PDB file of all heavy atoms in Angstrom:
ATOM      1  N   LYS A 185     -24.544  15.600  -1.079  1.00 93.00           N
ATOM      2  CA  LYS A 185     -25.289  15.444  -2.329  1.00 93.00           C
ATOM      3  C   LYS A 185     -26.130  16.666  -2.698  1.00 93.00           C
ATOM      4  O   LYS A 185     -26.609  16.763  -3.825  1.00 93.00           O
ATOM      5  CB  LYS A 185     -26.166  14.197  -2.257  1.00 93.00           C
ATOM      6  CG  LYS A 185     -25.375  12.906  -2.056  1.00 93.00           C
ATOM      7  CD  LYS A 185     -26.291  11.708  -2.016  1.00 93.00           C
ATOM      8  CE  LYS A 185     -25.511  10.446  -1.651  1.00 93.00           C
ATOM      9  NZ  LYS A 185     -24.878  10.532  -0.309  1.00 93.00           N
ATOM     10  N   ASP A 186     -26.297  17.589  -1.750  1.00 95.00           N
ATOM     11  CA  ASP A 186     -27.057  18.796  -2.105  1.00 95.00           C
ATOM     12  C   ASP A 186     -26.257  19.693  -3.043  1.00 95.00           C
ATOM     13  O   ASP A 186     -26.841  20.494  -3.785  1.00 95.00           O
ATOM     14  CB  ASP A 186     -27.444  19.558  -0.840  1.00 95.00           C
ATOM     15  CG  ASP A 186     -26.246  19.939   0.012  1.00 95.00           C
ATOM     16  OD1 ASP A 186     -25.203  19.243  -0.064  1.00 95.00           O
ATOM     17  OD2 ASP A 186     -26.340  20.925   0.761  1.00 95.00           O
ATOM     18  N   ARG A 187     -24.942  19.548  -3.051  1.00 97.00           N
ATOM     19  CA  ARG A 187     -24.125  20.432  -3.890  1.00 97.00           C
ATOM     20  C   ARG A 187     -23.078  19.687  -4.720  1.00 97.00           C
ATOM     21  O   ARG A 187     -22.562  20.242  -5.677  1.00 97.00           O
ATOM     22  CB  ARG A 187     -23.412  21.471  -3.015  1.00 97.00           C
ATOM     23  CG  ARG A 187     -24.348  22.407  -2.268  1.00 97.00           C
ATOM     24  CD  ARG A 187     -23.581  23.487  -1.526  1.00 97.00           C
ATOM     25  NE  ARG A 187     -22.656  22.915  -0.541  1.00 97.00           N
ATOM     26  CZ  ARG A 187     -21.337  22.903  -0.697  1.00 97.00           C
ATOM     27  NH1 ARG A 187     -20.780  23.420  -1.771  1.00 97.00           N
ATOM     28  NH2 ARG A 187     -20.574  22.391   0.245  1.00 97.00           N
ATOM     29  N   PHE A 188     -22.757  18.485  -4.347  1.00 97.00           N
ATOM     30  CA  PHE A 188     -21.730  17.712  -5.056  1.00 97.00           C
ATOM     31  C   PHE A 188     -22.394  16.634  -5.911  1.00 97.00           C
ATOM     32  O   PHE A 188     -23.388  16.017  -5.496  1.00 97.00           O
ATOM     33  CB  PHE A 188     -20.786  17.019  -4.068  1.00 97.00           C
ATOM     34  CG  PHE A 188     -19.789  17.923  -3.390  1.00 97.00           C
ATOM     35  CD1 PHE A 188     -20.201  18.930  -2.536  1.00 97.00           C
ATOM     36  CD2 PHE A 188     -18.432  17.751  -3.599  1.00 97.00           C
ATOM     37  CE1 PHE A 188     -19.280  19.755  -1.894  1.00 97.00           C
ATOM     38  CE2 PHE A 188     -17.503  18.565  -2.965  1.00 97.00           C
ATOM     39  CZ  PHE A 188     -17.926  19.560  -2.111  1.00 97.00           C
ATOM     40  N   SER A 189     -21.812  16.409  -7.077  1.00 97.00           N
ATOM     41  CA  SER A 189     -22.234  15.287  -7.907  1.00 97.00           C
ATOM     42  C   SER A 189     -21.013  14.694  -8.589  1.00 97.00           C
ATOM     43  O   SER A 189     -20.008  15.387  -8.812  1.00 97.00           O
ATOM     44  CB  SER A 189     -23.254  15.718  -8.947  1.00 97.00           C
ATOM     45  OG  SER A 189     -22.683  16.649  -9.859  1.00 97.00           O
ATOM     46  N   ALA A 190     -21.088  13.418  -8.874  1.00 97.00           N
ATOM     47  CA  ALA A 190     -19.983  12.735  -9.539  1.00 97.00           C
ATOM     48  C   ALA A 190     -20.545  11.754 -10.546  1.00 97.00           C
ATOM     49  O   ALA A 190     -21.597  11.151 -10.312  1.00 97.00           O
ATOM     50  CB  ALA A 190     -19.109  12.010  -8.524  1.00 97.00           C
ATOM     51  N   GLU A 191     -19.841  11.625 -11.656  1.00 96.00           N
ATOM     52  CA  GLU A 191     -20.274  10.658 -12.646  1.00 96.00           C
ATOM     53  C   GLU A 191     -19.088  10.003 -13.323  1.00 96.00           C
ATOM     54  O   GLU A 191     -17.992  10.575 -13.385  1.00 96.00           O
ATOM     55  CB  GLU A 191     -21.178  11.326 -13.698  1.00 96.00           C
ATOM     56  CG  GLU A 191     -20.523  12.440 -14.471  1.00 96.00           C
ATOM     57  CD  GLU A 191     -21.497  13.098 -15.452  1.00 96.00           C
ATOM     58  OE1 GLU A 191     -22.717  12.886 -15.326  1.00 96.00           O
ATOM     59  OE2 GLU A 191     -21.009  13.813 -16.345  1.00 96.00           O
ATOM     60  N   ARG A 192     -19.325   8.821 -13.824  1.00 96.00           N
ATOM     61  CA  ARG A 192     -18.317   8.055 -14.552  1.00 96.00           C
ATOM     62  C   ARG A 192     -19.089   7.287 -15.619  1.00 96.00           C
ATOM     63  O   ARG A 192     -19.271   6.084 -15.534  1.00 96.00           O
ATOM     64  CB  ARG A 192     -17.560   7.104 -13.610  1.00 96.00           C
ATOM     65  CG  ARG A 192     -16.308   6.518 -14.210  1.00 96.00           C
ATOM     66  CD  ARG A 192     -15.651   5.524 -13.259  1.00 96.00           C
ATOM     67  NE  ARG A 192     -14.402   5.038 -13.826  1.00 96.00           N
ATOM     68  CZ  ARG A 192     -13.789   3.911 -13.441  1.00 96.00           C
ATOM     69  NH1 ARG A 192     -14.333   3.165 -12.473  1.00 96.00           N
ATOM     70  NH2 ARG A 192     -12.656   3.538 -14.007  1.00 96.00           N
ATOM     71  N   LEU A 193     -19.538   8.015 -16.625  1.00 86.00           N
ATOM     72  CA  LEU A 193     -20.555   7.534 -17.543  1.00 86.00           C
ATOM     73  C   LEU A 193     -20.146   6.265 -18.289  1.00 86.00           C
ATOM     74  O   LEU A 193     -20.937   5.359 -18.454  1.00 86.00           O
ATOM     75  CB  LEU A 193     -20.921   8.635 -18.531  1.00 86.00           C
ATOM     76  CG  LEU A 193     -21.644   9.837 -17.905  1.00 86.00           C
ATOM     77  CD1 LEU A 193     -21.896  10.908 -18.952  1.00 86.00           C
ATOM     78  CD2 LEU A 193     -22.949   9.383 -17.257  1.00 86.00           C
ATOM     79  N   LYS A 194     -18.943   6.174 -18.772  1.00 88.00           N
ATOM     80  CA  LYS A 194     -18.528   5.019 -19.564  1.00 88.00           C
ATOM     81  C   LYS A 194     -17.576   4.116 -18.773  1.00 88.00           C
ATOM     82  O   LYS A 194     -16.926   3.249 -19.360  1.00 88.00           O
ATOM     83  CB  LYS A 194     -17.876   5.468 -20.864  1.00 88.00           C
ATOM     84  CG  LYS A 194     -18.836   6.231 -21.774  1.00 88.00           C
ATOM     85  CD  LYS A 194     -18.188   6.588 -23.104  1.00 88.00           C
ATOM     86  CE  LYS A 194     -19.174   7.313 -24.015  1.00 88.00           C
ATOM     87  NZ  LYS A 194     -18.551   7.671 -25.316  1.00 88.00           N
ATOM     88  N   GLY A 195     -17.506   4.347 -17.470  1.00 86.00           N
ATOM     89  CA  GLY A 195     -16.647   3.515 -16.650  1.00 86.00           C
ATOM     90  C   GLY A 195     -15.170   3.775 -16.832  1.00 86.00           C
ATOM     91  O   GLY A 195     -14.358   2.932 -16.451  1.00 86.00           O
ATOM     92  N   VAL A 196     -14.830   4.927 -17.401  1.00 92.00           N
ATOM     93  CA  VAL A 196     -13.408   5.239 -17.586  1.00 92.00           C
ATOM     94  C   VAL A 196     -13.104   6.519 -16.815  1.00 92.00           C
ATOM     95  O   VAL A 196     -12.872   6.463 -15.609  1.00 92.00           O
ATOM     96  CB  VAL A 196     -13.042   5.375 -19.067  1.00 92.00           C
ATOM     97  CG1 VAL A 196     -11.551   5.655 -19.235  1.00 92.00           C
ATOM     98  CG2 VAL A 196     -13.410   4.094 -19.817  1.00 92.00           C
TER      99      VAL A 196
END
Side-chain angles (χ1 to χ4, degrees):
Chain A
K185 299 181 187 61
D186 57 334
R187 297 185 300 108
F188 285 64
S189 64
E191 60 183 15
R192 193 183 184 200
L193 292 177
K194 297 184 178 180
V196 182

